[in-house]
Amino acid sequence: MDPMKATLQGYLNAARQSLLWKLEGLSDYDLRRPLTPTGTNLLGVLKHVASVEMGYFTEVFGRPCPMDFPWFAEGAEPNADMWATADETKEWIVEMYHCSWEVSDATIAELPLDAPGYVSWWPEGKREVTLHSVLVHMLRS
């Protein structure tokens, strides 16, 4: 693997593990307790990161996404990806997060760092990206 790609992916993996580590040992109440006026909770942050990561490494590069994210559908409640609903278990959200790793890692492994992508939800003039720029974006977000 390209040394630069390996370095970026190493940092991405460390950030992923760190996010999961911060949830270890917390009760279901603490994982679901709203921490902001918008209702964001810790499981919601994990849900958001999982679905956003999968979107960046699939849709942006024209690759298939194995999951549907109803919280991003037209008409969905705003910011519905930022909290866990009663029927979304911690185990399900963690499993979704691990799935996003597999999908993202496959994209990273199969594409060169200069592979072009297109982020339709970014402002005009900034939508054309590369795998390198998406990796950097994911690390800084």
Side-chain angles (χ1 to χ4, degrees):
M1 178 182 280
D2 174 317
M4 185 182 303
K5 187 192 290 189
T7 299
L8 291 167
Q9 189 169 20
Y11 280 108
L12 180 60
N13 286 333
R16 292 166 170 167
Q17 293 293 337
S18 178
L19 183 55
L20 285 178
W21 172 73
K22 290 172 176 132
L23 303 181
E24 282 181 16
L26 295 177
S27 69
D28 196 59
Y29 171 81
D30 287 332
L31 290 169
R32 294 176 180 280
R33 183 166 47 107
L35 299 173
T36 69
T38 62
T40 299
N41 60 36
L42 294 174
L43 278 180
V45 170
L46 189 65
K47 176 181 165 181
H48 171 79
V49 171
S51 51
V52 167
E53 180 175 330
M54 200 171 311
Y56 273 109
F57 289 102
T58 60
E59 182 180 337
V60 168
F61 296 100
R63 296 172 62 87
C65 184
M67 300 185 83
D68 182 39
F69 302 115
W71 46 89
F72 290 143
E74 189 172 323
E77 189 169 346
N79 299 314
D81 62 320
M82 297 301 288
W83 65 82
T85 64
D87 61 330
E88 295 170 339
T89 66
K90 175 187 177 186
E91 293 74 24
W92 180 80
I93 292 173
V94 169
E95 183 180 316
M96 180 181 60
Y97 193 39
H98 284 289
C99 180
S100 77
W101 297 6
E102 292 172 19
V103 170
S104 300
D105 288 347
T107 298
I108 294 165
E110 294 170 21
L111 298 180
L113 284 174
D114 62 353
Y118 185 79
V119 185
S120 62
W121 55 92
W122 282 9
E124 285 290 332
K126 297 186 179 202
R127 294 179 178 174
E128 293 183 11
V129 295
T130 62
L131 178 60
H132 178 263
S133 62
V134 168
L135 275 163
V136 171
H137 175 77
M138 291 303 298
L139 288 170
R140 73 156 187 85
S141 295

